[in-house]
Amino acid sequence: MKGKLIVIMGTNASGKSGLGVELAARYGGEVVSADSRQVFRGLDLGSGKITPEEMQGVPHHLIDVCEPGDFFSMADFQRLAYDAIDDILSRGKLPFLVGGTGLYVDAVAEGYELSDIEPDLALRAHLETFETPALYEMLKEKLPDTDIDPKNRNRVMRALERLAADDYHPGKRNPHYDTLKLGVTWPREILKARIDERLERRLNQGMVQEVQKLLDAGVSTEFLMKLGLEYRYLTRYLLGEMGYDQMVLELGNAIKKFAKRQMTWFRREENLYWLDMQNDPVSQAVKWIDRFLSC
């Protein structure tokens, strides 16, 4: 019999981390973070990383597991997540996979068959010389029926790399767990206001200083730029490429656009039960979880 896994997914500033803590505490569970940036040490305010105080004693996994600049793939995340979830289940606890990186969530919940082969750096350097539309055309030539987003440069490049290594097996899945998926949602205007409030709060808490500290420690601007959003815009500001007010305005807009893309991804999910965050989401979640655990 497969172990049971609860998934809580949502956009930036949606409150999913806090909800995950509350539910895990209620069921004596533990949280596995599914965030592509929170795996890196020192990326705290910019990634929206939950603080020890906010964890309220609930164990969290896959936070601060590697150094900034290290190679860390979706396959690395999946492997570590499987290890953490299996350990949680072996101790009779209930695992909660909580995050907003849709690919990471699905890699575990859907059991994508992935490879941990590291990229060919020479090939990657060659591919970096092309614009994204040209890369996508290369991919279409090799894989005419690809469903990869043509604007997702990283995924297009990774697919080309894996095709070159004869290591591309799209669509193969082997789910390891019996999974319940819960999504958190807000009306659009409220979510925008939450994004603005959270951005202002994190800037006041020292997000600019966090990025400066990373740069001072030798973390490359290339790495920070590839992280996107907060790290990209704050790096550009610190390099003198834009003013502070312009950075705040453009970053806020970029986060909102990203949240919209996250929602587009989540709405494609099958068997995802949405929680209304304005109307006692804990009670809604408990109803679904109790039903799921009783099956």
Side-chain angles (χ1 to χ4, degrees), residues 33-282:
S33 169
D35 188 289
S36 61
R37 302 187 301 176
Q38 293 183 8
V39 298
F40 295 104
R41 298 183 187 94
L43 274 62
D44 302 328
L45 290 169
S47 69
K49 191 178 294 177
I50 189 169
T51 66
E53 294 75 21
E54 291 168 338
M55 293 178 186
Q56 298 180 33
V58 173
H60 279 62
H61 305 264
L62 267 67
I63 292 176
D64 296 339
V65 296
C66 60
E67 296 296 332
D70 285 354
F71 173 75
F72 190 89
S73 68
M74 185 165 63
D76 292 323
F77 172 81
Q78 185 192 59
R79 173 175 50 80
L80 293 176
Y82 283 161
D83 288 345
I85 292 167
D86 290 345
D87 174 62
I88 295 167
L89 290 169
S90 74
R91 292 184 279 106
K93 303 289 186 178
L94 183 62
F96 287 77
L97 183 66
V98 181
T101 304
L103 272 174
Y104 278 25
V105 170
D106 284 352
V108 174
E110 302 297 328
Y112 288 173
E113 292 196 1
L114 303 173
S115 166
D116 58 2
I117 294 176
E118 293 198 16
D120 179 334
L121 297 182
L123 174 60
R124 172 161 291 190
H126 173 67
L127 294 175
E128 286 282 12
T129 64
F130 294 90
E131 297 294 329
T132 303
L135 291 172
Y136 185 71
E137 286 305 313
M138 293 181 203
L139 180 60
K140 288 285 286 184
E141 289 179 11
K142 297 176 181 292
L143 204 67
D145 59 346
T146 181
D147 62 353
I148 291 176
D149 181 352
K151 296 181 181 179
N152 191 325
R153 181 178 181 84
N154 286 338
R155 286 197 68 198
V156 171
M157 287 181 63
R158 190 65 176 135
L160 286 168
E161 291 168 355
R162 292 177 64 184
L163 282 164
D166 194 24
D167 183 47
Y168 192 77
H169 310 287
K172 288 189 177 181
R173 303 184 182 189
N174 178 29
H176 288 207
Y177 311 105
D178 185 12
T179 303
L180 170 68
K181 294 181 180 179
L182 302 175
V184 302
T185 183
W186 293 89
R188 183 175 300 174
E189 292 307 312
I190 292 180
L191 180 61
K192 287 181 178 179
R194 288 176 61 88
I195 288 171
D196 286 336
E197 186 277 330
R198 190 175 81 151
L199 176 57
E200 181 179 7
R201 183 175 71 252
R202 289 190 296 165
L203 286 167
N204 290 336
Q205 289 172 335
M207 190 161 59
V208 174
Q209 291 79 1
E210 174 178 291
V211 177
Q212 184 64 64
K213 183 177 179 180
L214 291 166
L215 290 167
D216 292 344
V219 177
S220 72
T221 57
E222 180 185 14
F223 172 77
L224 292 170
M225 294 287 281
K226 284 186 175 181
L227 290 171
L229 295 179
E230 293 87 351
Y231 293 101
R232 175 179 297 163
Y233 282 89
L234 287 166
T235 298
R236 291 182 61 197
Y237 162 66
L238 290 168
L239 291 176
E241 295 179 4
M242 60 196 326
Y244 184 83
D245 291 342
Q246 179 188 3
M247 179 271 292
V248 173
L249 177 62
E250 293 190 14
L251 174 55
N253 290 335
I255 295 172
K256 290 165 191 169
K257 289 178 181 177
F258 179 68
K260 185 177 180 180
R261 293 197 299 272
Q262 285 179 301
M263 283 301 297
T264 299
W265 176 279
F266 296 147
R267 288 193 177 110
R268 297 186 305 182
E269 295 277 352
E270 296 181 359
N271 302 317
L272 173 61
Y273 302 100
W274 289 101
L275 306 176
D276 179 1
M277 295 296 282
Q278 292 181 287
N279 185 28
D280 193 2
V282 173

